[in-house]
Structure formats: C-alpha cells, structure tokens
Amino acid sequence: MKQIVKLLILLVSISAFSQGPWTQEKGKFYTQFSYSTIPSYDTLFGDPEYVINGTVTDNTFQFYGEYGISDKTTLIVNLPLKSISFNQNVMCVTAPCNPIKHKETALGNLEIGLKHNFYKKDWLFSGQFSVEANTSSFYIDSGIRTGYNAYTFTPLFIAGKSFNKAYLQTFIGSKIRTNNYSSNFKVGGEYGRKVSKNLWLVGFLDIEKSFNNGNVVLTGSNIGTGLYVNDQEYGVVGVKAIGEFSDNFGMTASLPAAFFGNNVAKQVALSVGIYKKF
C-alpha cells in the first residue's frame, strides 16, 4: 500500500475529452489551461527503485485545445511549459555541505494532432493521430531536460458511450519515438458519472509499457536527474473531478496512483485546470 500511495508522473490529467472519442462541432473550440506538479522527489520507480543525486521538483503549465474542423474531425494542440528545479547533492570534505540549486523554465514537447470520428451510433469509434515535436531543452550542467530529445508519433483507437448521467471510454495505441528512444504500448480508459448538478467524478486507468527497443545514449548528468530518460513506463489508476460552473466553463482536478513504474518519479502528483468552451 505504501508504494501505491507514493505516486508517479502525471500524464493523464489534460481533460475528460483528451483521449475520448467525442469530436467538437464544426467551428467550436474547447480549451483548457492546467497546472501539474510533482514536488521534491529523489526516488524513481525501478526494479529495484533507485535514488537520484538530489531532489527534483517538476512543474508543468499546459494549454490544451480542440477545434472542430468539421463535425467529425477535430484539431488538437497541446502546449506544455516546463519549470523544473534540481537541488543537486555535492561531495564535500567537511560538513555542512549545501546542494547546488538549479532551475530552468522552457518548452516541453509541443503536440499537434487530429481526431476523426468514423462511427457514431450507440457507441462512438474514433481514431486519433498526434505528433510531439522535438522542442524541449537540455541543460548539460544540471542534467535538467524538459522533454524527450525525439519526435513522438501517437496513433490511438478510441471507443466510448454516453449514458443518462455517465460515460465510458477506452483507448489503445502506441507512442513511437525517434532518436533511438524506446517506443511504448498505450492502453487505458475511464468511467465518469454525474454525482450532482455541477459535479462529475471520474475513475481512470492509464498504462504505458515500454517495448525496450531503443538504445539511446544519454549523458551522465541526464541520467542523474532521471528526467525523460529511456524506457520510461507506468501504470496508474486514479480519480478525477470535473466541476461545471456553467455549460461552457469549469474546473478539473486529478490524483493518479501508481501500481507499477520504471524510470519515473515516485512521489505524490497533483493536477488542476480550468476549461472553457467557445
């Protein structure tokens, strides 16, 4: 239970619709701004788990948007700004010995994609394809990296169904990375139910499993922080809340709980956001 309570990197909290089969109506926008944090951790999941040479705090400010090109096709944009600090342990002959403090703010991997609905009756079936650009930064002195040094191509098959006061959705696909990074298999889903006039509660599952097919060579400083290294994988379950202030404005918050992981932070994670529909 202690390992389940100690949590992981957050990759699943953009919105209730980011991996759902629903598309925007033609000319309509869905936008969300979110803040995610993994505070002050020094331990990564592994077999066995391991300690890095200091403590990392990983903050992300993220803009996510969807635009209806047609009633069946939606443009997706995801713009992450990373703010990462690393208090690096140093070796000293005499005590006390203060850590070296590093902090960097830069873009992560910008993402753009398309979602297309090709079946819409009782169930909705859609396909989604997105590309994450190699727009991140790396600071060799500190080992801070704000995203993968690669392009990532993500094809997904998505299915979902709406009920009276609930919805169910699931997805399966992969993340294919360049520059000798390993690619990942991806699967998950969520079930949401409206519990009051303005509140949805959502349970979700998200799994990414590395194919271990990459042999990228990273610097020692990057390995020392564990940020966006090779063969990262995770499995999380969690709870998400969506509060509706009106038909087109609201808030989201999520808390994921890890049941396995590799090369990702073993720490409590939190994400909150606000959304607006136009």
Side-chain angles (χ1 to χ4, degrees), residues 42 58 71 74 85 88 134 144 189 195 230 235 248:
D42 64 359
D58 187 344
D71 287 344
T74 292
S85 61
Q88 182 181 8
N134 188 357
I144 291 176
V195 296
N230 199 29
N248 57 16

Side-chain angles (χ1 to χ4, degrees), residues 111-176:
E111 182 180 14
I112 187 168
L114 290 174
K115 182 190 303 183
H116 181 75
N117 175 249
F118 53 84
Y119 182 85
K120 186 176 182 180
K121 290 188 178 180
D122 289 341
W123 282 81
L124 280 80
F125 299 129
S126 298
Q128 181 173 305
F129 182 80
S130 65
V131 179
E132 293 178 34
N134 188 357
T135 51
S136 62
S137 298
F138 175 58
Y139 303 89
I140 192 169
D141 290 341
S142 63
I144 291 176
R145 187 181 289 280
T146 63
Y148 290 103
N149 181 28
Y151 282 83
T152 302
F153 304 92
T154 305
L156 291 175
F157 172 77
I158 318 169
K161 181 178 175 63
S162 295
F163 304 95
N164 184 27
K165 292 185 178 181
Y167 71 89
L168 175 68
Q169 64 186 41
T170 184
F171 60 86
I172 187 170
S174 61
K175 286 194 168 184
I176 302 165

Side-chain angles (χ1 to χ4, degrees), residues 39 59-60 70 81 87 101 117 161 174 242 251 267 270:
N59 298 315
T60 305
S70 71
L81 180 67
N87 291 338
K101 297 182 179 181
N117 175 249
K161 181 178 175 63
S174 61
I242 305 171
M251 290 189 64
Q267 176 60 293
L270 175 66

